[in-house]
Each structure stands twice: as structure tokens, then as C-alpha cells.
């Protein structure tokens, strides 16, 4: 259980990355989406104890992250995969994982061996485990990063855009791996790939400009867009006027557009079943126009 | 506590492995060895001369004092009464001992002192990257989410460097013995080993530690090298004290404090001075460590 209250973070130089964020996160998989610069990484780095909030509080499993002691205790139960992952180029996978496991406090050698063996199987790197990490491809590095985060069986797993750079097959495998892991722990996953969330999370938050603008189940977000998702077939110009274009498909009888918004009748739009991505798009559009109505910039 | 110890052991093991694979440890040790070899080549073995031969022994326990010489002309060793010229050349503390060995030993002391300066300069430059390297590889983001305390992290980094360095240097010291003996002849082995123990090893600990700690806060490898350069005056400052410690007793034999000393007493006093200098230097370095640790705690997570 992680309780986040009124978190703000202002970076040196004045960028306000978090602006009064309050969330309760329970067991299972928690998805975090939002546009670039929304503050997802900032939020996750605070949760990981890397960054101190300007104000506000994080209590992770009863440990107050504002105290050195609390951070240390929380870190002992944490697995973290940073958005920009670096590895020691001159170690091989076995050595790197062994090193990280020792630092994480898995002090029993046999236990360490067992965990590393299992994790390498899970991320399918057993065959290349003895190769130096500098010879790994981007996706392989990411998978080592994932394995590293799972060392020591942490109660809280924070993964910042873990699927970027993975091929589709690996992405699906990784999603399933996380879903398996989510049974007995909290996983906080940020991503730009909304599909990742719809497939694996039962709880999600959408962030924008340092605030949570939606919190709930993926189904709720989808429902919000119901009645606002349309297909427009046109042989002329693109539809416009407050519409968000989700996809464009060239057909024999013209171009088929999938749009989110409320198109005027002359487009002869056909209503469509919303997806999570539509829900996200509608939310973005809706909050922007709401903000505009009230005359505040978001 | 046992967790911290396990973490320290792990850091030493893997940091050493990485230093080895980066070749930085090897380069450091090779550089030291080459330094020793080059100084050995350039240093002459000058015999303690008197007119016509090399002085091997001066015995002033008998009256009149005698001098044993190997004559340059014939190579013949003879003992004869010492004249005034010989007695002024060979001060009290050099009498009644094997002068060839003492001569070789003092040559070694001079050589190792010069190599110490080389070592300090090299380590100031080469060790600075130790901590910035984690940022360079971008693993520090990961490292700081692990339950590793600031002190453990700093301690692990320092110890890993020191363990590797000291092991390599001990090897150097041993491998160099036959080379030095070939060049300078037999020397006082215990004085030689003590010089490593009291001068070169502590100087290495000091210079590498100072450089690692001073560069702990910088973000790039290049900046760390600049820090290493900026530390040169500190390195030279310490070295001046080492020089004074080594040569004051030799030059100072004219001083009252040293005139009464025997050879052993003189060597001991020399080593005592060096040891003191190194102790102070290393304490200052550790004090810097404390400051770095404290600043790190204050700045943590900003
Ligand atoms: N170290 C920093 N110093 C100053 N500003 C920063 C720093 N890190 C992030 N920011 C700013 O804080 C805001 C939030 O950044 P953050 O990285 O948390 O966003 P994000 O949601 O993770 O974005 P992305 O989806 O692109 O990863 C941005 O405006 C960013 O420019
Ligand atoms: Mg991010």
C-alpha cells in the first residue's frame, strides 16, 4: 500500500513537474499514462527514493519516504527500472545481476544463484548470460534491466516505460511476466503505449502537467469516450473542427478516419466502439477544452 | 551490519573486476613498474670515493681509525690507516657498517622517493573517475535505488581501489628487487620493504583516496580529470614533506640532532618522519571523506 499525499516537485530552475498529486496505490498492476513532460518519471523517481519532493508525503508500506531511515527501509523492498537505463559494460549478465543482488541484500550465495537463474530464464537471456553487457542490443539491455528490478523479490516494482525498445513479441512476453508478478506485489508501470495498460492493469491514472486528471479502471476511461468515437469516410479534405484524429486508413471509396470528439452532422459520422486509446484521447481533449472554457492554461 | 559488510565485499569484488577489465588497474601498475625501471636506468651507482679507490668500510673503533678500500687500479682490497680526507667524507653514522650496502640502500631511498611523486601524480589523475564513472555509464540512477548507504557506497569504492592498488604495488615491490639488486648491488632489504610500507603504499592510498573523494560530486569523466589536475598542488605539497623527511636526516647530519645517531638510528628517524607525513596526509584525506559523506547526505535527492 502506497499513500501519496499532495506531492509537489519544483526543479531547480523553476519547472513545476508535480503539482499537488494525491494517490493511493494498492496491490496489483497500476498503470500511469500521460503526455511527455507530464511528470511520470519525476513521480516514479520520488517513489524510488531518488528524488525528494518539494512538499508532500509518500508512505510506502508504512515507511515515510521523507526520512532517511524510511527511504532505506522502502528501498529494501523496491525494484526499479529507470526510463534511461545504464549497465556496466564490462560485466556479463551473471556478474551484473549477482552484483545488484548483493547490493539489494540477497546475501545468501545459493539463493542469489537460484534467483538469477530463474530470472534469466524468464527474460530469455540464459544463452547470452556470459556475454559482456556492452555487446547486448537495446532490447536485451532492457530485459536485463527488468531482471535486475525483480531481484530480491521486491514488494514494490516501479518500471518506467519498460516496453519501449522491445519488439512486439517481447512486449507481450513482458506484459505477461509483469501480470504474473502482480499477484503478490504492487507494480507501477508508466508507458506511452496505452495498449500495454489495457492488457494488464486493473487500475490506472492519467497524469497531465503534474496532476492526476483521471483515476480508475481502464473500463471507466473507455466508457467516458462512449458516444464520442466516430468513423468518418471522406474523399475530400481531412475532417477538422475540434476533432482528434486517431487513425487514417486509405480505402477504395476514399479515406476512412477514426476520430474522437463531436463531429458536426455534415460529416455523416458513424458511431464506433471506444477503445482505451480513444478514452485517453477523449480525456485529453476534454480536459483541454474544459481548461480553455475556464480560461486557464493546462 | 552484516548486510553492509556483504555489500562492501560485493563492491570490492566487482569494482575490482571492472577496474581490471577496463585495464585501468593494469595501466596504473605497469606505469609504476616502468617508472621504477626508468629511474633505475638513469640513476648511477656512484661509489663512495676516496683517492684511488672505493671505500668499503671505515672502522673508528680502533686507533688510529682504518679504512678498507677496493683500489680502482688493481681491484685489490686493502685496509690501511684512514687519513683526514677519508674521515671528513665518511661521517660518523657511516662508520663501522658495510658501506656498499648502505650506499645502495640510500640510492634506493632516493629512487623510491622520486617514484613516489610519480605515483602521486598518476593516481591523482587516474583515480578521479572512479565515482563519476557510475554516472558516465548511467548506472548511478539504479544504484541509488538500492538499499546501499552513502558510507557503504563511498567505502566500497575506496576499498576496491585500494585493495587492487595495494596488491599490484606489492607485486611491483617484489618483482623490482632483482632488478634493483642487479643495478645497485645488495641493499638493506628490510629498509627497502619498510620504504614501501611507510612511503609508497600510504602515498598511493592518500593520492587515490583524495582524488576519488574530491571528484565524487562531478558528473563527467572529463570534469573528474580536471579535478585530478587541480589536486596537483596538494600532491606536490605532500611530496615536499616527504622529500624533507627523507633528506633532512642525510643533509642534517651536520646538525646536532643527527650527529650522534648511528646508521640505524638515522634510517629509523627518516622512516619516522615519512610515516608521520603520510599519517597526517591520510588523516586529512579521510577528513575530506567525512565532508563528502556529509555533503552527500545533505544534497541527497535534490
Ligand atoms: N532534472 C530536471 N531538472 C529540471 N527539470 C526537469 C528535470 N527532470 C524533468 N524535468 C521537467 O519536469 C517535467 C516533467 O518531466 P518528467 O520526466 O517527469 O515527465 P514524463 O512524464 O516522465 O515525460 P516522458 O513521457 O517524456 O518520459 C518536464 O517539464 C521536464 O522538463
Ligand atoms: Mg518519463
Amino acid at each position: 500500500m502506497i499513500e501519496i499525499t499532495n506531492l509537489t516537485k519544483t526543479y531547480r530552475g523553476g519547472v513545476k513537474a508535480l503539482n499537488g498529486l494525491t494517490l493511493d496505490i494498492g496491490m496489483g498492476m497500476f498503470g500511469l499514462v500521460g503526455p511527455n513532460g507530464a511528470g511520470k518519471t519525476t513521480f516514479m523517481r520520488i517513489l524510488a527514493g531518488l528524488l525528494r519532493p518539494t512538499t508532500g508525503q509518500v508512505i510506502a508500506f508504512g515507511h515515510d519516504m521523507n526520512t532517511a531511515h524510511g527511504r532505506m527501509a522502502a528501498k529494501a523492498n523496491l525494484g526499479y527500472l529507470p526510463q534511461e537505463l545504464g549497465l556496466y559494460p564490462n560485466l556479463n549478465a551473471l556478474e551484473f545481476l549477482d552484483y545488484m543482488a548483493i547490493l539489494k541484500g540477497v546475501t545468501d550465495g545459493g539463493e542469489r544463484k537460484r534467483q538469477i537463474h530463474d530470472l534469466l530464464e524468464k527474460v530469455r537471456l540464459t544463452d547470452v548470460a556470459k556475454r559482456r553487457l556492452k555487446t547486448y542490443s537495446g532490447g536485451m539491455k532492457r530485459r536485463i534491466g527488468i531482471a535486475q528490478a525483480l531481484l530480491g523479490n521486491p514488494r514494490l516494482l516501479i518500471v518506467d516505460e519498460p516496453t519501449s525498445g522491445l519488439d512486439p513479441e517481447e512486449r507481450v512476453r513482458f506484459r505477461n511476466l509483469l501480470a504474473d508478478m502482480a499477484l503478490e506485489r504492487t507494480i507501477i508501470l508508466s508507458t506511452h503505449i496505452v495498449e500495454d495498460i489495457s492488457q494488464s492493469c486493473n487500475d490506472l491514472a492519467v497524469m497531465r502537467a503534474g496532476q492526476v486528471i483521471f483515476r480508475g479502471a481502464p473500463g471507466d476511461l473507455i466508457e467516458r469516450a462512449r458516444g464520442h468515437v466516430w468513423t468518418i469516410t471522406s474523399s475530400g479534405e481531412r475532417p477538422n473542427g475540434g476533432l482528434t484524429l486517431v487513425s487514417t486508413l486509405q480505402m477504395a471509396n476514399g479515406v476512412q478516419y477514426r476520430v474522437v470528439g463531436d463531429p458536426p452532422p455534415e460529416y455523416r459520422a458513424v458511431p464506433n466502439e471506444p477503445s482505451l486509446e480513444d478514452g485517453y484521447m477523449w480525456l485529453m481533449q476534454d480536459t483541454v477544452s474544459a481548461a480553455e472554457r475556464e480560461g486557464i492554461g493546462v | 551490519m552484516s548486510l553492509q559488510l556483504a555489500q562492501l565485499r560485493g563492491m570490492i569484488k566487482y569494482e575490482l573486476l571492472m577496474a581490471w577489465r577496463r585495464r585501468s588497474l593494469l595501466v596504473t601498475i605497469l606505469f609504476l613498474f616502468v617508472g621504477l625501471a626508468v629511474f633505475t636506468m638513469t640513476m648511477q651507482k656512484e661509489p663512495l670515493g676516496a683517492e684511488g679507490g672505493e671505500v668499503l668500510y671505515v672502522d673508528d673503533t680502533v686507533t688510529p681509525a682504518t679504512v678498507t678500500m677496493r683500489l680502482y687500479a688493481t681491484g685489490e682490497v686493502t685496509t690501511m690507516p684512514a687519513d683526514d680526507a677519508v674521515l671528513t667524507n665518511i661521517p660518523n653514522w657511516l662508520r663501522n657498517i658495510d658501506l656498499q650496502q648502505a650506499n645502495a640502500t640510500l640510492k634506493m631511498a632516493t629512487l623510491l622517493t622520486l617514484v613516489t611523486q610519480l605515483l602521486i601524480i598518476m593516481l591523482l589523475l587516474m583515480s578521479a573517475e572512479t565515482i563519476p564513472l557510475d554516472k558516465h555509464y548511467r548506472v548511478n540512477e539504479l544504484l541509488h535505488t538500492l538499499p546501499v548507504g552513502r558510507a557503504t557506497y563511498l567505502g566500497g569504492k575506496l576499498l576496491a581501489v585500494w585493495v587492487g592498488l595495494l596488491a599490484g604495488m606489492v607485486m611491483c615491490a617484489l618483482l623490482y628487487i632483482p632488478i634493483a639488486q642487479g643495478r645497485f648491488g645488495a641493499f638493506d632489504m628490510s629498509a627497502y620493504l619498510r620504504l614501501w610500507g611507510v612511503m609508497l603504499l600510504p602515498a598511493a592510498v592518500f593520492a587515490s583516496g583524495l582524488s576519488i573523494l574530491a571528484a565524487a560530486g562531478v558528473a563527467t569523466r572529463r570534469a573528474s580529470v580536471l579535478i585530478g589536475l587541480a589536486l596537483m598542488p596538494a600532491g606536490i605539497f605532500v611530496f615536499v614533506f616527504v622529500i624533507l623527511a627523507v633528506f633532512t636526516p642525510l643533509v642534517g647530519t651536520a646538525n646536532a640532532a643527527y650527529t650522534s645517531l648511528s646508521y640505524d638510528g638515522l634510517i629509523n628517524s627518516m622512516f619516522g618522519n615519512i610515516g608521520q607525513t603520510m599519517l597526517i596526509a591520510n588523516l586529512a584525506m579521510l577528513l575530506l571523506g567525512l565532508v563528502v559523506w556529509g555533503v552527500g547526505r545533505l544534497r541527497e535527492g535534490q
Side-chain angles (χ1 to χ4, degrees):
Chain A
M1 195 58 180
I2 299 143
E3 298 152 54
I4 299 119
T5 328
N6 241 324
L7 216 54
T8 69
K9 175 72 193 181
T10 309
Y11 281 110
R12 250 176 281 172
V15 177
K16 202 155 193 180
L18 294 182
N19 194 2
L21 188 143
T22 301
L23 265 179
D24 274 2
I25 302 175
M27 292 276 274
M29 193 102 121
F30 185 86
L32 202 57
V33 283
N36 290 131
K40 302 181 297 294
T41 298
T42 303
F43 174 49
M44 293 178 124
R45 293 183 74 220
I46 291 176
L47 289 186
L50 282 169
L51 203 63
R52 301 249 207 111
T54 309
T55 63
Q57 195 179 41
V58 176
I59 310 274
F61 305 107
H63 304 295
D64 183 352
M65 301 278 290
N66 276 343
T67 68
H69 185 262
R71 275 196 300 280
M72 208 58 152
K75 282 177 181 180
N77 279 308
L78 170 76
Y80 177 65
L81 176 62
Q83 181 169 5
E84 284 181 34
L85 173 73
L87 305 170
Y88 285 121
N90 289 321
L91 293 183
N92 67 34
L94 290 174
E95 292 158 347
F96 180 73
L97 291 177
D98 189 56
Y99 188 17
M100 292 303 117
I102 294 172
L103 295 183
K104 272 196 175 183
V106 188
T107 47
D108 179 74
E111 171 64 15
R112 235 169 25 235
K113 249 202 175 104
R114 199 187 56 70
Q115 281 193 18
I116 290 167
H117 179 263
D118 285 359
L119 285 170
L120 283 172
E121 286 283 312
K122 275 189 178 137
V123 297
R124 298 201 306 165
L125 288 174
T126 310
D127 292 344
V128 292
K130 294 216 165 111
R131 258 169 55 185
R132 301 270 170 96
L133 295 175
K134 66 179 162 204
T135 69
Y136 277 29
S137 74
M140 287 157 85
K141 285 182 183 158
R142 207 128 262 283
R143 272 139 72 192
I144 279 296
I146 292 157
Q148 160 283 130
L150 291 169
L151 282 168
N153 215 6
R155 264 166 60 184
L156 171 61
L157 196 60
I158 298 177
V159 284
D160 198 354
E161 293 189 34
T163 52
S164 73
L166 293 185
D167 63 45
E169 213 184 337
E170 274 307 327
R171 221 174 72 209
V172 171
R173 286 185 56 85
F174 177 66
R175 240 160 36 199
N176 294 335
L177 176 63
L178 278 192
D180 289 345
M181 295 282 166
L183 290 177
E184 63 236 32
R185 76 196 80 230
T186 301
I187 301 182
I188 303 176
L189 161 89
S190 89
T191 180
H192 288 125
I193 304 164
V194 179
E195 201 185 327
D196 279 346
I197 298 229
S198 62
Q199 298 296 324
S200 53
C201 299
N202 40 20
D203 195 4
L204 78 100
V206 181
M207 281 181 71
R208 176 190 196 115
Q211 282 173 325
V212 174
I213 56 170
F214 172 87
R215 165 67 192 279
D220 300 341
L221 189 56
I222 295 173
E223 277 316 307
R224 283 201 176 195
R226 187 170 296 284
H228 303 287
V229 184
W230 310 85
T231 306
I232 298 172
T233 310
S234 140
S235 49
E237 81 278 22
R238 294 163 146 238
N240 51 24
L243 298 174
T244 307
L245 212 59
V246 181
S247 68
T248 308
L249 196 62
Q250 300 284 344
M251 306 287 280
N253 59 339
V255 187
Q256 203 178 71
Y257 299 97
R258 185 185 176 91
V259 299
V260 173
D262 299 315
E266 67 263 26
Y267 280 127
R268 270 175 284 130
V270 181
N272 230 319
E273 195 56 28
S275 69
L276 189 64
E277 196 172 35
D278 300 327
Y280 176 81
M281 289 303 187
W282 173 246
L283 181 72
M284 287 299 147
Q285 202 185 78
D286 205 31
T287 46
V288 169
S289 39
E292 275 165 3
R293 275 197 303 277
E294 289 165 34
I296 27 172
V298 174
Chain B
M1 199 60 212
S2 65
L3 171 64
Q4 275 95 314
L5 284 181
Q7 288 173 331
L8 273 181
R9 267 210 310 275
M11 280 191 81
I12 292 171
K13 176 176 167 189
Y14 283 110
E15 290 290 324
L16 252 176
L17 182 65
M18 287 188 280
W20 178 253
R21 289 192 180 156
R22 281 202 303 277
R23 302 273 175 274
S24 63
L25 182 56
L26 191 69
V27 166
T28 309
I29 299 302
L30 278 181
F31 198 85
L32 173 62
F33 202 76
V34 169
L36 281 168
V38 167
F39 276 110
T40 310
M41 307 276 275
T42 54
M43 269 178 108
Q44 289 296 324
K45 180 193 171 191
E46 305 144 46
L48 275 176
E51 211 172 319
E54 176 185 5
V55 181
L56 301 182
Y57 200 89
V58 172
D59 187 350
D60 68 359
T61 59
V62 292
T63 3
T66 61
V67 55
T68 305
M69 297 213 298
R70 179 183 290 120
L71 300 177
Y72 292 139
T74 58
E76 180 195 345
V77 176
T78 59
T79 303
M80 61 184 105
D83 58 25
D84 281 353
V86 168
L87 289 178
T88 8
N89 254 347
I90 309 295
N92 280 331
W93 61 281
L94 282 176
R95 296 180 194 173
N96 313 319
I97 55 166
D98 179 346
L99 276 178
Q100 260 185 322
Q101 179 175 330
N103 195 14
T105 306
L106 293 175
K107 269 268 161 331
M108 289 304 307
T110 312
L111 184 144
L112 290 183
T113 309
L114 295 177
V115 169
T116 299
Q117 176 62 9
L118 195 70
L119 187 69
I120 290 177
I121 289 177
M122 180 179 59
L123 287 177
L124 285 178
L125 288 176
M126 297 215 26
S127 328
E129 64 172 17
T130 306
I131 288 175
L133 214 50
D134 278 348
K135 289 177 194 145
H136 175 75
Y137 293 143
R138 290 188 299 161
V139 280
N140 67 318
E141 179 95 350
L142 203 66
L143 289 178
H144 293 314
T145 62
L146 303 174
V148 181
R150 186 92 202 149
T152 312
Y153 179 75
L154 276 180
K157 287 281 179 193
L158 288 171
L159 284 177
V161 168
W162 289 341
V163 166
L165 205 50
L166 295 191
M169 285 177 72
V170 166
M171 254 171 49
C172 254
L174 298 180
L175 287 177
Y176 177 63
I177 290 174
I179 299 176
Q181 280 172 336
R183 179 82 179 174
F184 301 115
F187 49 80
D188 180 351
M189 190 59 70
S190 100
Y192 170 79
L193 293 178
R194 276 168 71 196
L195 265 177
W196 280 87
V198 85
M199 182 164 73
L200 283 105
L201 299 186
V205 167
F206 160 74
S208 57
L210 184 73
S211 167
I212 291 172
L213 290 167
V218 308
T220 64
R221 277 177 105 164
R222 188 185 307 198
S224 76
V225 175
L226 293 181
I227 298 266
L229 279 173
L231 290 173
M232 285 304 149
I236 291 168
F237 181 75
V238 169
F239 180 65
V240 166
F241 279 93
V242 172
I243 290 272
L244 288 177
V246 172
F247 295 107
T248 307
L250 298 184
V251 183
T253 44
N255 294 351
Y258 293 103
T259 37
S260 58
L261 290 180
S262 65
Y263 171 80
D264 284 340
L266 198 88
I267 290 278
N268 282 337
S269 127
M270 184 194 285
F271 285 179
N273 290 347
I274 301 173
Q276 212 168 34
T277 301
M278 282 304 159
L279 186 69
I280 293 171
N282 275 296
L283 283 178
M285 183 269 292
L286 290 177
L287 206 66
L288 175 66
L290 216 60
V291 170
V292 170
W293 172 79
V295 169
R297 269 191 82 105
L298 283 178
R299 280 183 34 188
E300 184 194 0
Q302 298 272 302

